[in-house]
Amino acid sequence: MSKRILVVEDHVDNRQIIRDMLAVTDYEITEAETDEKALAAIAKQRPDLILMYIQLPTMDGYTATSRIKADPALRSIPIIAVTSYALSGEEKKARAAGCDEYVPKPFSPRQLLAEIRAFLQ
């Protein structure tokens, strides 16, 4: 059975980049463009990993991550923050919210794929 990845990103172009990057894998990809859709998808599909973009329209990715990690049934799902917020202190903020890894944009597709594979071994 293939591993499931939830991509939480509000920009269609960014979701397409991730789809293209993961097309060479056997991972099953689900997408959510809002925090509400992401939380619903997580509850329904129980992904094996979440790629969490931080600049979401209604609730930022840090808050969404905190909510996910606060739920004992979901806490073990690895979350990789993918963000253009690459300022000093942002990685610390992401990890404090519960993100397991932090990947700043622009990212190397090879590096991000290696991070994903490390969590989904």
Side-chain angles (χ1 to χ4, degrees), residues 29-92:
I29 303 161
T30 304
E31 300 174 14
E33 61 274 354
T34 67
D35 53 302
E36 294 93 3
K37 289 181 181 179
L39 294 173
I42 292 164
K44 181 179 178 185
Q45 300 166 0
R46 300 299 283 248
D48 296 294
L49 182 134
I50 300 168
L51 294 178
M52 180 67 72
Y53 288 78
I54 301 305
Q55 300 105 314
L56 296 173
T58 55
M59 175 193 311
D60 67 34
Y62 298 134
T63 305
T65 296
S66 294
R67 283 191 180 178
I68 294 162
K69 293 294 187 170
D71 184 334
L74 305 176
R75 185 174 296 144
S76 65
I77 300 172
I79 299 176
I80 300 176
V82 182
T83 181
S84 58
Y85 286 169
L87 301 174
S88 176
E90 287 300 318
E91 181 173 0
K92 186 176 181 179

Side-chain angles (χ1 to χ4, degrees), residues 96-107:
C99 293
D100 299 282
E101 191 55 69
Y102 175 87
V103 176
K105 290 180 187 177
F107 57 82

Side-chain angles (χ1 to χ4, degrees), residues 27 49 78 80 101 112-121:
Y27 300 132
L49 182 134
I80 300 176
E101 191 55 69
L112 181 57
L113 190 54
E115 296 287 351
I116 291 168
R117 285 185 170 141
F119 281 106
L120 296 180
Q121 294 184 41

